[in-house]
Amino acid sequence: YAMLLSLIFLIVLVAAIVGFVFRHEIKTNFESNLNLALRDYNVTADRHSEAVDTIQRMLHCCGVQNYSDWERTEYFSQRGIPRSCCKSQNDCSEEDLRDPNKAKLKVFVDGCFFLVTSTMESKMSVVAGISFGIACFQLIGIILSCCLSRYITNNQYEMV
């Protein structure tokens, strides 16, 4: 049991170290994937388009760096900026979303990349605290299981 807990503890420790060391690569990878999702965005309900819509609605953002990122997409030439960028769904018409100057007043202007990364970084202390607490319980479990194993082997010859 102690060996199993030690293995799990080491796996979690290695994952945390790798995540910390490669955090900049993770950000770069997220930004490039978000750019790809915008480029391939379409109205059909594929999971990348749904993810972009969900991020834009939840975080009140639009595009990667700002709302003008949509102007370089094929979707913009057909339908304009997506409705998930609208501040108010009732006040957003399709013709407003096709004109970048009108859309600036109707959609969220901040980009999603900065908001996602800043949200993740602000929650990182909570995640680190919870992880540290779990690691402490794992270490206590490892120590107690080693003590129990030692106690059982020491008293093995006294049993009748």
Side-chain angles (χ1 to χ4, degrees), residues 126-146:
V126 174
V127 171
I130 291 170
S131 300
F132 181 73
I134 291 171
C136 288
F137 279 115
Q138 280 184 317
L139 286 175
I140 291 169
I142 292 168
I143 292 168
L144 290 177
S145 64
C146 288

Side-chain angles (χ1 to χ4, degrees), residues 61-124:
C61 59
C62 190
V64 178
Q65 300 300 328
N66 58 34
Y67 77 100
S68 64
D69 292 336
W70 283 104
E71 294 176 37
R72 296 185 297 274
T73 64
E74 186 178 323
Y75 181 82
F76 181 81
S77 62
Q78 297 170 359
R79 307 210 34 200
I81 297 173
R83 294 190 69 76
S84 59
C85 285
C86 293
K87 293 177 185 175
S88 170
Q89 294 296 320
N90 301 332
D91 191 28
C92 249
S93 67
E94 197 167 312
E95 63 184 45
D96 290 339
L97 295 174
R98 287 178 188 250
D99 182 12
N101 295 324
K102 289 182 183 177
K104 184 177 184 178
L105 303 172
K106 308 270 182 171
V107 300
F108 302 112
V109 292
D110 296 328
C112 295
F113 175 71
F114 175 73
L115 288 173
V116 168
T117 55
S118 63
T119 301
M120 286 174 36
E121 288 172 357
S122 69
K123 306 291 184 203
M124 206 54 102

